[in-house]
Amino acid sequence: MGGIGPWKDRMIAPERALPGRATPMAIDNVHFVIGGPLRDEFAGYGDARFGMGCFWGAERMFWSMPGVISTAPGYAGGYTPNPTYREVCTGETGHAEIVRVIFDPKIIGYGALLQAFWENHDPTQGMRQGGDIGTQYRSAIQCTTPEQHALALASRDDYQKRLTAAGLAQITTEIVFPAPEFYYAENEHQQYLAKNPDGYCGLGGTGVSCPVGTGA
């Protein structure tokens, strides 16, 4: 993982972004770990989107949580339609690496997903996450409902108080509603750490607990 182009610490201007393509990424529509689809309407389930740096480790964290019925890594928040991984790594698409999380709200609440998000990466680092440097590694919450947006903002404010008390910096996480279009990553990135158990995982938190309740 790692950016390879000049756009590492700032968003590219929309007019300079790569043009992309009209054809969506072709993927095998089955989750390697959970089974079931990656692409679906998922009627009756919640749809959450998180950027925590490298999407390999973030996806594994979420698929391990009870009540999560599907996860998929992809790209969102930029300008290039249907980008490739190599294009995203140049910084010239504007996208972040995002994990889409489909969850059963009867089993797990959005608040529990937020708690895992805040506690398992460093949301203060701007356009990077640890040694992974580039706009694609920025921290992001892309909300699919107004209720998610309100809870995400409240959790950010609460978590900032705890980070400040611990002597840590200001949160740089992008929190947006409505969620921008999500573009699925290539097959080799889907459930990568299940297919490659010894693969790279840069996931790591600040050590500060998050006050979001698991029932929210």
Side-chain angles (χ1 to χ4, degrees):
M1 306 294 285
I4 59 175
W7 298 94
K8 288 182 177 289
D9 60 357
R10 63 194 187 282
M11 283 288 286
I12 193 168
E15 64 273 13
R16 299 191 65 177
L18 295 174
R21 57 203 50 82
T23 305
M25 186 70 66
I27 60 170
D28 299 327
N29 193 27
V30 60
H31 197 286
F32 185 79
V33 178
I34 300 173
L38 299 176
R39 279 193 175 112
D40 196 12
E41 293 298 322
F42 294 111
Y45 294 112
D47 183 347
R49 319 277 178 88
F50 299 104
M52 303 173 64
C54 173
F55 49 23
W56 294 341
E59 188 197 12
R60 181 174 61 181
M61 180 195 71
F62 284 118
W63 83 49
S64 302
M65 298 179 71
V68 171
I69 66 164
S70 188
T71 57
Y75 318 114
Y79 312 111
T80 300
N82 300 299
T84 66
Y85 175 72
R86 181 167 292 277
E87 288 172 341
V88 171
C89 282
T90 68
E92 295 178 40
T93 70
H95 291 302
E97 294 191 15
I98 297 292
V99 178
R100 185 186 188 200
V101 181
I102 306 300
F103 63 100
D104 186 342
K106 297 184 181 67
I107 300 174
I108 188 170
Y110 186 64
L113 301 178
L114 284 172
Q115 183 176 35
F117 168 81
W118 292 120
E119 290 183 350
N120 286 280
H121 80 303
D122 185 344
T124 71
Q125 294 194 343
M127 300 300 185
R128 67 181 299 162
Q129 193 63 209
D132 292 328
I133 301 172
T135 55
Q136 75 268 31
Y137 299 118
R138 65 191 186 270
S139 176
I141 304 173
Q142 298 173 345
C143 305
T144 62
T145 68
E147 293 77 17
Q148 286 185 6
H149 190 225
L151 188 54
L153 291 173
S155 70
R156 178 199 61 192
D157 293 346
D158 288 343
Y159 196 48
Q160 183 63 68
K161 294 175 184 176
R162 296 203 172 197
L163 291 176
T164 301
L168 298 178
Q170 292 294 304
I171 289 171
T172 60
T173 304
E174 294 178 353
I175 300 178
V176 297
F177 173 76
E181 186 166 1
F182 176 84
Y183 301 103
Y184 285 84
E186 295 87 334
N187 272 323
E188 58 262 36
H189 296 294
Q190 301 296 331
Q191 298 82 64
Y192 179 88
L193 289 178
K195 301 170 184 175
N196 303 274
D198 296 325
Y200 168 80
C201 175
L203 205 63
T206 62
V208 177
S209 64
C210 174
V212 181
T214 57

